[in-house]
Structure formats: C-alpha cells, structure tokens
Amino acid sequence: EAGVTQFPSHSVIEKGQTVTLRCDPISGHDNLYWYRRVMGKEIKFLLHFVKESKQDESGMPNNRFLAERTGGTYSTLKVQPAELEDSGVYFCASSRTTANTGELFFGEGSRLTVL
Amino acid sequence: KNEVEQSPQNLTAQEGEFITINCSYSVGISALHWLQQHPGGGIVSLFMLSSGKKKHGRLIATINIQEKHSSLHITASHPRDSAVYICAVRPGNQFYFGTGTSLTVIP
C-alpha cells in the first residue's frame, strides 16, 4: 500500500509568486490534514478535510492560503502571493478515522523556501 | 506557551547508551503519539498510546495520563537512531506537537 505522498519535495520561489503543494493520502483515508513547520518552531496544524469538506481550517494563517480537496481524493495547498514568513516544511497526513485514537500517517513533507 | 513541552531539546549520546526523552502536555487527551523525523525525511509514527507502556524493538514508550507525562526510551542506542523525536497529542481533531528533541548518537 502506498503511503502519503507529497509533491514537490522542495520548492524555491520568490516573494510574491504562487506555489501549489499537492498531497495524495493513503487510499481509503477520508481524513486529510495539512501541517506546517516553520524553522525552529513546533509543527502547527493548518486544516483538516473529511473527504472533500473542510472540517476545521482554524489553523490557516491568512487568506493567502487556499486548500482544496475536490472529489475527496488528493488535496492541494496554494500560497498566493507567497511571503518570506511562509518558508517552512508543509506536511500532509491522513487517517482512516477521525477517532481520537486513530493512527496518523505522514508524508515526507514539502519544503518551501521563499526568497 | 505550547500545549506540549519536550525535553531535552538536543541530546548527544554515545553508541550503546540508554536514552530518555520526556514529554509533558497541558491538555486532556485520549492518545499521545511519538513521531520520528530523520534529517531531510518525512515523519514516521513510532507509537500511539493512551495508557501504560508499549515496546517496539529497542524503543519503549510510557505514558502517565494522570500526570500528563510521557517518556520515550531507546535502549542500546545506535547511530541510525539519530533523528528528531516529536511528541504529539490529540485532544480533539487537531494535533498539538512538541518542538522535538534532536538526538545524535555518536559511534
């Protein structure tokens, strides 16, 4: 079974440009999460999808960030326009259940560098 | 203040040493996760536990729900154990993460 896959693994863009990150969860996992780790800080929650619906987007930093999960399969996270403070590693994770004891599977992360 | 605190932040050990990483949290939870991140790599879930102790190979994780504390132990540490170890708790749908403990095991 394939794990959670993310693309690209590393993206370097200039301030003001747009970047789109993609996450393919494990097949059959309705729950998809986006997290971000900024240099030196802890991983922070961004948002949670259940199938194609946004269950919780309270962690999204501002309206420059747009996440979608059309069809309830893969998800994209677009940053437009990117700012310097958006640099970090964006992790995607998926789980089969929303139960508090459900195991979470992480992707390799997409490292974003904004110059 | 972060909901999850880990200590130490950095740890260097000689190969073969017994290692302990601690995690304290301030929210009510039903499960705690220990995660491992190798340099440049993704995150791997090591343990998910809600009570007592779990063991997997040379790794042992314990949790005390009443004291809101968990420990991750590595016996007979090896250089390939070098990684960042992250504690995460899940009070609801969200996860809260510690800042991680960077472990370096020297041959």
Side-chain angles (χ1 to χ4, degrees):
Chain A
E1 180 184 91
V4 178
T5 56
Q6 293 188 243
F7 181 83
S9 57
H10 192 186
S11 180
V12 181
I13 61 173
E14 292 189 349
K15 176 183 171 181
Q17 289 186 318
T18 298
V19 63
T20 300
L21 310 177
R22 173 171 169 145
C23 168
D24 286 75
I26 291 173
S27 179
H29 282 196
D30 289 341
N31 296 277
L32 186 150
Y33 304 82
W34 282 99
Y35 295 92
R36 175 173 76 169
R37 183 168 195 159
V38 173
M39 181 74 75
K41 303 280 183 117
E42 69 274 13
I43 299 170
K44 288 282 195 183
F45 167 84
L46 295 178
L47 87 158
H48 169 209
F49 282 101
V50 177
K51 296 185 179 178
E52 68 276 8
S53 300
K54 291 176 185 174
Q55 182 79 8
D56 183 349
E57 53 183 330
S58 60
M60 295 288 263
N62 51 61
N63 59 11
R64 295 185 293 103
F65 288 75
L66 174 64
E68 294 180 322
R69 194 185 181 194
T70 307
T73 53
Y74 70 90
S75 174
T76 57
L77 179 64
K78 182 162 73 173
V79 186
Q80 177 184 33
E83 297 288 343
L84 299 179
E85 64 265 24
D86 301 332
S87 296
V89 181
Y90 290 76
F91 290 100
C92 176
S94 73
S95 68
R96 187 177 298 278
T97 172
T98 53
N100 286 358
T101 52
E103 190 164 1
L104 204 61
F105 297 85
F106 285 85
E108 298 272 314
S110 290
R111 181 176 296 276
L112 173 64
T113 302
V114 183
L115 302 176
Chain B
K1 186 180 186 297
N2 195 15
E3 290 82 358
V4 182
E5 299 285 344
Q6 280 183 244
S7 63
Q9 282 190 312
N10 296 285
L11 181 57
T12 300
Q14 288 290 135
E15 182 174 356
E17 283 187 8
F18 180 85
I19 289 163
T20 296
I21 300 171
N22 294 299
C23 173
S24 296
Y25 52 92
S26 57
V27 293
I29 67 167
S30 53
L32 179 144
H33 298 246
W34 280 103
L35 311 169
Q36 180 192 57
Q37 184 181 19
H38 280 282
I43 295 174
V44 175
S45 179
L46 297 175
F47 293 103
M48 180 178 65
L49 65 163
S50 54
S51 66
K53 180 170 77 173
K54 281 191 177 180
K55 185 176 189 290
H56 182 67
R58 295 180 293 105
L59 301 179
I60 303 168
T62 63
I63 188 169
N64 185 320
I65 293 289
Q66 288 73 30
E67 294 186 4
K68 296 187 176 179
H69 181 268
S70 175
S71 293
L72 176 68
H73 306 284
I74 304 175
T75 62
S77 60
H78 190 275
R80 64 174 173 268
D81 296 328
S82 298
V84 176
Y85 293 83
I86 302 167
C87 172
V89 299
R90 189 179 184 184
N93 274 332
Q94 288 193 28
F95 275 82
Y96 294 101
F97 297 83
T99 52
T101 296
S102 180
L103 171 65
T104 302
V105 181
I106 301 170

